[in-house]
Amino acid sequence: MSSFKNTEKLYIKDVKNYEGQIIEIKGFVQSVRNLKKVQFVILRDKTGLLQLFIPKDEMNEKLNTLVSEISKESVISVTGKVNIDANVKLNQVEIQVQNMEVLSASLPELPIDENSPLDLLLDWRFIDLRQEKNTLIFEIQTTMEHAMREWWINNNFVEIHTPKFVGTATESGAEVFELPYFGRTAYLAQSPQFYKQMAMAAGFGRVFEIAPVFRANSSHTKRHDTEFTSVDVEISWIDSYEDVMKCEEEWLTYVITKITEKHGKRIKEVFDVDIEIPALPFPRMTLTKAREILSEIGHIIDHKEDLDPQGERLIGEYIKKNCNHDYVFLTEYPTSVRAFYHMRPPSNPDVTNSFDLIGKGVEITTGAQREHRADILTNQALEKGYNLEPLKDYINFFKYGCPPHGGFGLGLTRLIMVLLHLDSVREATFIYRGPTRLNP
């Protein structure tokens, strides 16, 4: 019986363990130095750089010719002897090359360099991703998602996969992509919200999903995109939205701790960022209080319902200065800016049992306690002006018993942007989609 062959290549970071041995190593050509008596090639893979050494002599004539013609970013395979030498500036390790094969030649003129504008870099994203900082971003994302799942599994959550073709818009009906669906109209899901709540009615108790969502949002800001990865959580048997916030802060602290443990040193080296593990509990502040603070420091917001991005940034600075914390839950958003399914406290029906999590001055999460009583939910939908017919299936979830529940949604790339101090979610997205970008 055949067995799977492990085709994992030898990585540059491990070459030093083979001193004096003949090895095969593969990678991209970072640079070539063609001197009078010797040639140097710097080889690159996702783990680092390695110097290749080729003397110029009759014995190496064919090899010398090959090296002279190699273009930057070509992919090569090299066989040679590992030398450990303190005089080698690049990690004190080099390979004395015996044989070299060009596996894939690059065109000599690259379409981008490190100084190219972001839009051009995104046009040639597969080349841009070869940079160390970009490779590190997706290594961090991998650790992040693994840590998320680890915490969820350790706390009795169930993973679900919700449909991305839906028959009605999840939120207000705005910002949805419509598409033909066998003689009727379907929409790309803006959120798994309705289906997360269906899982609560089904008795799943605690669920999560990491999946794409779609927003027909024409904004061109650093934090917006038309397709992104949403991280969604819903939990049953809560007493208030405080339970949801407690869940999120413990989960997020666990995730940030794991990132720091595995990547903290490289994040400092590559991004010059010190990742701070947030203390528990996170600060809480009502939206009303936040607006009062902004007014006191001279930032006036024209509307009364929410904060603008500048307001979020200033509140982030206020919390950092006064609480020495990077995160704050803003609570009690008014009903005018929250979904109809957010629960309203009987003592003040003009606000909702909801929150936003502001991380380093950027909103990264919206969450709430949901309304689980069918009659009240129906009245709130009508009050918002909804046609109940498209919501029929959703409201049915609550007619046959549903536990009190709540949850939150978090943008994966926005969290990465905040943690690494990136300029835009574009940098944290493998292939970005926005109003003017549908390629590559």
Side-chain angles (χ1 to χ4, degrees):
M1 184 175 66
S2 63
S3 60
F4 172 71
K5 181 182 178 181
N6 186 351
T7 57
E8 186 85 59
K9 72 181 284 293
L10 175 64
Y11 285 108
I12 285 172
K13 68 179 178 63
D14 299 318
V15 166
K16 62 180 179 295
N17 299 326
Y18 295 85
E19 181 179 6
Q21 299 183 44
I22 305 297
I23 66 167
E24 180 184 34
I25 189 78
K26 302 173 183 178
F28 292 86
V29 174
Q30 177 85 355
S31 63
V32 178
R33 293 175 60 207
N34 203 352
L35 306 180
K36 186 175 181 180
K37 294 184 178 182
V38 68
Q39 294 169 313
F40 294 102
V41 176
I42 303 301
L43 191 70
R44 185 189 75 247
D45 68 16
K46 69 177 185 177
T47 67
L49 302 175
L50 176 67
Q51 179 171 288
L52 311 179
F53 169 77
I54 310 102
K56 278 187 172 179
D57 53 36
E58 292 183 5
M59 184 180 302
N60 287 323
E61 186 174 351
K62 289 185 177 179
L63 187 55
N64 295 146
T65 301
L66 177 62
V67 171
S68 298
E69 297 174 350
I70 289 176
S71 54
K72 184 179 178 181
E73 294 302 320
S74 293
V75 177
I76 63 174
S77 175
V78 174
T79 302
K81 183 178 179 180
V82 179
N83 293 326
I84 306 295
D85 187 340
N87 294 318
V88 177
K89 293 182 179 179
L90 186 58
N91 301 322
Q92 290 76 56
V93 183
E94 68 177 3
I95 301 289
Q96 185 166 351
V97 178
Q98 298 178 355
N99 187 52
M100 181 181 295
E101 179 184 0
V102 178
L103 302 178
S104 177
S106 170
L107 293 175
E109 295 295 327
L110 295 174
I112 58 174
D113 60 35
E114 60 184 13
N115 297 315
S116 298
L118 181 57
D119 275 346
L120 185 59
L121 293 175
L122 294 181
D123 288 341
W124 298 93
R125 184 61 162 158
F126 67 97
I127 300 175
D128 179 46
L129 288 169
R130 295 176 186 178
Q131 296 184 65
E132 180 185 8
K133 69 172 186 176
N134 290 333
T135 302
L136 179 56
I137 285 171
F138 292 97
E139 290 176 354
I140 293 166
Q141 179 182 289
T142 301
T143 299
M144 178 181 288
E145 291 192 40
H146 177 77
M148 289 175 176
R149 284 190 164 89
E150 191 171 61
W151 190 92
W152 286 324
I153 289 168
N154 290 341
N155 286 276
N156 301 313
F157 280 73
V158 174
E159 184 168 11
I160 58 175
H161 298 285
T162 63
K164 303 310 164 196
F165 289 132
V166 295
T168 187
T170 310
E171 305 290 348
S172 65
E175 298 182 353
V176 293
F177 289 106
E178 296 184 8
L179 66 160
Y181 193 81
F182 302 103
R184 57 183 292 196
T185 298
Y187 307 91
L188 291 179
Q190 298 169 286
S191 161
Q193 183 59 48
F194 289 178
Y195 299 103
K196 289 194 301 177
Q197 291 186 260
M198 188 186 82
M200 300 299 96
F204 280 26
R206 300 178 171 196
V207 300
F208 70 89
E209 180 179 44
I210 302 176
V213 296
F214 307 88
R215 305 279 172 88
N217 189 328
S218 60
S219 297
H220 296 265
T221 72
K222 69 176 186 177
R223 61 171 77 183
H224 287 105
D225 31 25
T226 54
E227 176 185 355
F228 64 93
T229 301
S230 183
V231 180
D232 281 273
V233 167
E234 205 77 14
I235 56 175
S236 284
W237 310 113
I238 66 171
D239 295 320
S240 76
Y241 64 113
E242 175 63 37
D243 295 329
V244 183
M245 291 188 287
K246 188 173 186 295
C247 169
E248 180 171 16
E249 65 189 3
E250 291 181 4
W251 164 80
L252 187 57
T253 298
Y254 181 89
V255 171
I256 293 173
T257 300
K258 291 294 183 179
I259 291 169
T260 303
E261 290 173 352
K262 187 165 185 178
H263 303 288
K265 182 178 178 181
R266 287 190 67 205
I267 289 172
K268 178 63 176 177
E269 292 170 351
V270 175
F271 295 101
D272 194 25
V273 172
D274 293 302
I275 303 291
E276 295 184 28
I277 299 172
L280 293 172
F282 293 3
R284 275 94 159 128
M285 179 185 292
T286 66
L287 182 63
T288 299
K289 179 64 176 177
R291 292 178 64 88
E292 289 174 359
I293 291 170
L294 291 173
S295 179
E296 289 172 2
I297 61 178
H299 181 71
I300 307 299
I301 304 170
D302 292 337
H303 56 82
K304 296 181 179 180
E305 291 83 4
D306 205 344
L307 299 188
D308 58 1
Q310 174 72 351
E312 292 174 355
R313 185 183 68 79
L314 292 171
I315 287 297
E317 292 176 356
Y318 176 90
I319 293 297
K320 186 65 175 178
K321 179 180 179 180
N322 291 276
C323 305
N324 192 28
H325 212 286
D326 289 326
Y327 300 88
V328 58
F329 285 113
L330 298 184
T331 64
E332 297 184 9
Y333 279 74
T335 59
S336 57
V337 294
R338 286 314 206 209
F340 73 91
Y341 49 79
H342 285 196
M343 182 176 282
R344 305 172 185 179
S347 60
N348 186 3
D350 292 331
V351 301
T352 55
N353 293 343
S354 67
F355 62 88
D356 277 358
L357 178 60
I358 308 299
K360 299 184 179 181
V362 177
E363 180 235 303
I364 57 174
T365 293
T366 294
Q369 181 175 11
R370 320 301 185 187
E371 181 52 69
H372 62 280
R373 295 160 293 187
D375 56 340
I376 298 176
L377 186 66
T378 300
N379 290 335
Q380 291 183 178
L382 289 170
E383 182 185 304
K384 287 274 190 178
Y386 280 89
N387 177 2
L388 294 183
E389 181 58 28
L391 296 174
K392 179 176 62 176
D393 288 337
Y394 172 66
I395 293 174
N396 280 343
F397 298 162
F398 308 98
K399 291 183 176 179
Y400 300 94
C402 184
H405 63 278
F408 62 87
L410 175 144
L412 185 70
T413 51
R414 198 178 287 192
L415 177 59
I416 294 171
M417 178 188 77
V418 166
L419 286 176
L420 301 182
H421 298 185
L422 303 179
D423 290 333
S424 167
V425 292
R426 294 167 175 82
E427 298 177 64
T429 305
F430 183 66
I431 299 293
Y432 171 75
R433 288 290 178 258
T436 61
R437 181 164 291 279
L438 203 53
N439 294 99

